[in-house]
Amino acid sequence: MDRHGGEIHEKRDLKGRAEGDTRTVPGHPALTRILRQHIKDEQLKPGDLLFQGETGGILAGSVIRRAWRSARKAVLSPHVYESPTGRRVYDNRHTRLTKWLNDGVPPAQVAEWAGNSVPMLLATYAGCVDGQLSDSKKRLEAAGDLPEPP
């Protein structure tokens, strides 16, 4: 049990979605290949756990945290490893949403993939968008939407 009296691993549907509803979210092609191979190798069926604990159940949080720390330490420089960057597995969600916005993916699409509303997404991530001003100005100039300088 957790400190709020609930089960440690809650089974719940997606927030704001109908029971049993899913959403499609793009993944990096290399990761997708690895996961598909894992599913094939393990002969997993719909509803099976992608990664199982020793007894076939849900992995313990401590196992996930240890694996995550080891993976971060193996690939990140000491400075980045010691920073908050990706400290928790969930931090990847924030990193991915910020990257999509910075890469110019329309906020409505990012919100759909994230399962958020556009206002919530922008209220949370608008301050994280960086590096698009020059490109935006070039596109406006190319479209002839900016007045000629005097």
Side-chain angles (χ1 to χ4, degrees):
M1 293 270 203
D2 74 3
R3 62 189 167 123
H4 303 291
E7 294 296 319
I8 291 175
H9 296 288
E10 269 185 72
K11 288 187 178 183
R12 59 185 170 97
D13 289 307
L14 293 171
K15 193 174 2 174
R17 301 276 177 145
E19 186 175 327
D21 200 4
T22 62
R23 68 174 171 261
T24 300
V25 179
H28 192 282
L31 176 59
T32 301
R33 282 191 298 275
I34 291 167
L35 293 175
R36 285 185 175 154
Q37 188 62 52
H38 174 74
I39 290 166
K40 182 179 174 185
D41 292 348
E42 297 296 321
Q43 300 176 355
L44 299 177
K45 305 286 181 251
D48 287 350
L49 293 172
L50 190 58
F51 301 104
Q52 302 173 5
E54 289 183 42
T55 61
I58 295 174
L59 282 172
S62 60
V63 172
I64 295 168
R65 285 188 297 277
R66 264 195 319 273
W68 186 245
R69 271 194 307 272
S70 294
R72 286 181 72 242
K73 193 165 199 142
V75 300
L76 299 176
S77 67
H79 171 74
V80 176
Y81 176 78
E82 294 300 327
S83 78
T85 302
R87 187 163 288 156
R88 301 168 303 160
V89 174
Y90 187 76
D91 294 336
N92 286 310
R93 172 183 168 81
H94 299 296
T95 301
R96 177 56 37 198
L97 299 181
T98 300
K99 181 163 182 358
W100 283 335
L101 290 169
N102 279 322
D103 287 348
V105 177
Q109 183 63 68
V110 174
E112 181 182 324
W113 288 336
N116 294 125
S117 67
V118 173
M120 185 275 175
L121 179 85
L122 294 177
T124 305
Y125 295 98
C128 300
V129 177
D130 186 34
Q132 294 182 7
L133 185 57
S134 176
D135 183 53
S136 295
K137 285 180 179 179
K138 286 177 188 171
R139 284 190 286 159
L140 288 172
E141 289 171 3
D145 289 345
L146 293 179
E148 291 296 320

